[in-house]
Each structure stands twice: as C-alpha cells, then as structure tokens.
C-alpha cells in the first residue's frame, strides 16, 4: 500500500520539467547569473559566470545554458539545474551575442573584436567556420526555416545575410547607425533591426528576391531627449501582432503594432533597458535594466508593467527555460 503513492509521486516528478519557471539573467558588471522563479518572481540563486557575461541562451531541451563571457573570450556552458560549469566553447575575442540553430546545434557567435561570426559545434567543440563580416559584429538571428543567419555590425551599419549551408554572405543591407539586434517575425516575412545611435528600427522585407528596408520606425516620447531614444533589444510575439523594442536610456519599451509597424504605446521600465525575453506562454516579457540593477516584468496581454525585481550588478541578457 505504501508503494503506490511513491510511484505516483515519482511519475509526477518525472513529468514535471525541473527547469520550468526559471529565468536566467546575466549581470555584466557583477560577473554572475541571477536565477528567478517566474511564478513567484523570487530571486532563487546567483552563480559565477566568468568575466563580463552578456549574451545568454539555452538549448531547446533545457539541458544546457550558454553564456558569452566576453572578457574571457569564450562561451561558458552551465548545467541550469546545478549551476555548475560543464565546459567551455571556443569563440573569437569578445563574444557578445549568439544564436542557436533551432535543432540546438550549431551555435553562431558574434565576436565583436575580430569582425567574425564563429560557428561552433556545441557537442564536439569544433569550430565549423569563421565568417568575415563588418566591423564590430553584435546582433545575431536565424530565420524560421534556419536557412539564413543574420549578423549586424555596429560600425559598418549593416545587416549581413549569411547562407547557413555555405557560410557565404549573400546580401548586405545598410541600416542606421550602430545596429544592435535583429529579430525575424515567426512567419519569416520581415526582419527587424534596431539601430542604437540612429534611433530607429529598420523593417526589412524578406518576401522579395533580395531583402530591402521597407520602413524605418522612429520613436518620440514627451519629456525624453531624442538622443536618449536608443533602440536595442527586440522581441516579437508568436502571432507577429506585437513588436516590443527596448529603448535603452529612455527607460521605455516601445509597443509596436506588428501589422502596421506603428508605435502604439511606451511602457516605463527600469533604467537603461537593454535585452528582453518572453516566458514560454508569452504571458510575461522580462526586461533587463542595466543602471537600476533590476528587471521589469511586463504583462504582455495587458501591455502593462506589473513588477520589478532586483538582480545583480548591471543586468544585460536574459533567457527563460523552456516548458
């Protein structure tokens, strides 16, 4: 009689993902990753993540956490349950952002200091390719069909389109000054590229024979100086109906209608909002606020900030564990 409840309990535990509800935030100056519980928004752990951790992502199965340790010139791989470092992956100098293939392998890394995108097999640690791009590469994205890799170069002011099979650049699209981030719509018809100093988001049409800028989104907030409106992180809902843009020192997240590409609202968040991540159900959007050392929690449906949570020193990147 005593075995049945134990077996049931074991089955229930096995059916519940151990990582469900975990949010991981890199703290650029604190050299740590903060872990939050997205059901309670409590801070549940902090662990060392190398020197100047910035970009962060997770394998699709939730078993590995990848962190760009920018000042260590490497990518550190952690167990997201124990927070122990498993291994490192090679990269060029100053890895800042990266993107994983949807299958979980390979990893495409922007190396800011050597003008390369490094392609690494996460299982064998082999460098599969080094793709020369523009000066100071930062943003990385991959198309929904995984055929095109995007890199943005801050000084060259371009979005570079890389063939995922040949690793050859097929197109270069000029955008505004200091492009920081790139994000595809789920249907793959548009690519959004934020330009921090230019103060715009370029909307690139992916339906024509060659990609081209179809619109530039601008921003205006009463009482905020134009030079403070610095677009950085971009996130798009799964139905492509809403585009959220982090506006850096403006301390705002812009809400954009994904059909018209018109700004419909600005949400006040913490100081120097940088990167963002959705929870898996898209109920919430988490923003990292570098100068206030916190994250803001946005209710996506209500388009309202509902909470702020203190994390480490100068939070930069954020990722949420899959369900």
């Amino acid at each position: 009689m005593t075995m049945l409840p134990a077996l049931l309990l074991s089955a229930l535990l096995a059916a519940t993902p151990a990582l469900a509800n975990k949010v991981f935030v890199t703290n650029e100056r604190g050299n740590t990753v903060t872990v939050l519980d997205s059901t309670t928004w409590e801070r549940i752990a902090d662990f060392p993540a190398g020197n100047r951790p910035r970009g962060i992502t997770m394998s699709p199965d939730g078993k590995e956490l990848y962190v760009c340790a920018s000042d260590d010139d490497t990518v550190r791989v952690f167990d997201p349950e124990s927070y122990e470092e498993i291994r490192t992956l090679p990269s060029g100098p100053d890895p800042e952002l990266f993107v994983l293939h949807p299958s979980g392998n390979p990893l495409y890394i922007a190396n800011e200091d050597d003008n390369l995108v490094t392609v690494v097999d996460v299982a064998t640690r082999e460098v599969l390719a080094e793709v020369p791009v523009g000066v100071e590469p930062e943003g990385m994205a991959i198309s929904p069909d995984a055929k095109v890799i995007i890199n943005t170069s801050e000084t060259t002011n371009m979005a570079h389109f890389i063939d995922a099979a040949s690793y050859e650049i097929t197109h270069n699209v000029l955008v505004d000054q200091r492009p920081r981030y790139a994000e595809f719509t789920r249907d793959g018809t548009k690519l959004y590229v934020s330009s921090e100093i230019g103060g715009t988001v370029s909307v690139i049409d992916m339906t024509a024979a060659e990609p081209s800028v179809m619109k530039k989104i601008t921003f205006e907030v009463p009482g905020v100086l134009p030079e403070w409106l610095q677009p950085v992180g971009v996130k798009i809902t799964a139905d492509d109906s809403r585009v959220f843009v982090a506006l850096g020192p403006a301390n705002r997240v812009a809400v954009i209608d994904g059909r018209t590409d018109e700004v419909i609202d600005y949400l006040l968040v913490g100081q120097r909002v940088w990167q963002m991540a959705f929870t898996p159900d898209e109920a919430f959007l988490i923003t990292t606020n570098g100068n206030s050392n916190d994250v803001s929690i946005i209710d996506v449906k209500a388009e309202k900030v509902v909470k702020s949570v203190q994390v480490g020193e100068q939070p930069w990147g954020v990722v949420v564990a899959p369900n």
Side-chain angles (χ1 to χ4, degrees), residues 112-174:
E112 189 169 21
D113 285 356
D114 67 358
N115 308 334
L116 292 175
V117 168
T118 305
V119 185
V120 177
D121 186 305
V122 299
T124 66
R125 301 182 69 250
E126 178 187 1
V127 174
L128 303 177
E130 291 183 324
V131 184
V133 288
V135 180
E136 290 190 282
E138 175 157 347
M140 297 297 304
I142 187 166
S143 60
D145 62 8
K147 292 181 178 179
V148 180
I149 311 302
I150 303 298
N151 169 255
T152 64
S153 53
E154 294 180 48
T155 301
T156 310
N157 300 332
M158 282 185 175
H160 308 284
F161 291 70
I162 303 167
D163 185 288
S166 68
Y167 303 128
E168 297 292 328
I169 292 180
T170 58
H171 301 95
N172 295 297
V173 176
L174 188 67

Side-chain angles (χ1 to χ4, degrees), residues 52 54 96-97 112 136-140 151-154 158 175-182 192-197 200 230-234 272 274-275 316:
R52 202 182 182 194
R54 291 192 283 178
E96 187 162 348
L97 277 170
E112 189 169 21
E136 290 190 282
E138 175 157 347
M140 297 297 304
N151 169 255
T152 64
S153 53
E154 294 180 48
M158 282 185 175
V175 293
D176 284 337
Q177 191 175 358
R178 202 174 175 83
R180 282 286 198 171
Y181 202 84
Y192 292 78
V193 176
S194 64
S195 295
E196 181 185 16
I197 303 303
T200 64
Q230 299 177 8
V232 190
V234 179
R272 202 216 68 173
W274 207 247
Q275 301 294 347
W316 199 98

Side-chain angles (χ1 to χ4, degrees), residues 23 36-43 279 284 286 295 297 306-307 309:
V23 178
L36 305 175
D37 183 324
S38 68
T39 57
T40 64
W41 299 113
E42 292 181 357
R43 183 173 174 174
T279 52
F284 299 100
I286 302 118
V295 298
I297 314 301
V306 294
K307 194 175 183 65
V309 182

Side-chain angles (χ1 to χ4, degrees), residues 219-266:
F219 306 94
E220 185 176 352
V221 179
V224 175
L225 295 173
E227 57 266 30
W228 290 357
L229 295 164
Q230 299 177 8
V232 190
V234 179
K235 288 297 172 187
I236 305 171
T237 55
D239 63 2
D240 297 330
S241 66
R242 286 292 183 270
V243 181
F244 295 89
V245 179
L247 294 178
N251 306 336
R252 303 295 199 283
V253 169
V255 184
I256 296 166
D257 187 317
R259 295 159 296 183
T260 64
D261 291 322
E262 297 293 331
V263 179
I264 56 177
D265 203 0
Y266 296 97

